[in-house]
Amino acid sequence: MSDPAAVPSIGDDPTRDRLIASAAAVFAEKGYDGAGVQEIARRAGFTTGAIYGRFRGKADLLLAAIEAHSHGELDQLFAEHRFEGKVTDVLTTVGSHLVTDPFDEGQALLLEAFVAARRDPEVAELMRGLVAQRAETFAALVDAAKSAGLVHESLDTAAIVRFCHAVGFGFLFFGAIDAEQPSAEPWERLIRRLVDALAKIPDDGDGPSDA
């Protein structure tokens, strides 16, 4: 699997950036299975040698296209809001964006990757790595929130991370079929209620008592 730390950032390699943009367009039009490296290279104005000099193949291109889009979205959110490392603020803000942001190219690519992963072991491996990387970052925020008393220490970090991923990824399917979304105000009220509940002592008998 590609080492994310070794991947050039956007703008460091204009040829790479053009190939990623071309790949995103072709994947959107033809799907992962229908997209060919020759078509991707042709649209970018290069030969396939430019692709194989920078990527292992089509799966790497798909991952790079996803990362190029999703990193930009997350960077924008963090630039607009001062989260200051509080996972509760991240959950509230990102959760509200699930119903207010339109289904875009980055989400379409991510959904395409999940579908392709069912048939292509290489895509599945790359997606497991991507999800694990994001989970690790989010888990660190959850653990910091536990130390700050924003999330109760008895709640399992991995369970919280998986729950948030499940909600976020679920909205990919709603967006793909243009399903009706809940109104922003009641949805945000629900998110705030759920986030507030994270700090409370669970009443299922598994957590420590008040005594």
Side-chain angles (χ1 to χ4, degrees), residues 158-182:
I160 294 173
V161 172
R162 276 291 181 260
F163 175 80
C164 294
H165 275 168
V167 173
F169 292 146
F171 269 82
L172 292 176
F173 297 96
F174 296 144
I177 62 174
D178 198 24
E180 183 178 359
Q181 304 283 34

Side-chain angles (χ1 to χ4, degrees), residues 79-102:
E80 294 173 352
H81 306 276
R82 293 188 62 190
F83 293 130
E84 297 179 352
K86 295 181 180 179
V87 74
T88 48
D89 292 343
V90 175
L91 287 172
T92 301
T93 303
V94 176
S96 67
H97 278 253
L98 290 174
V99 298
T100 57
D101 288 354

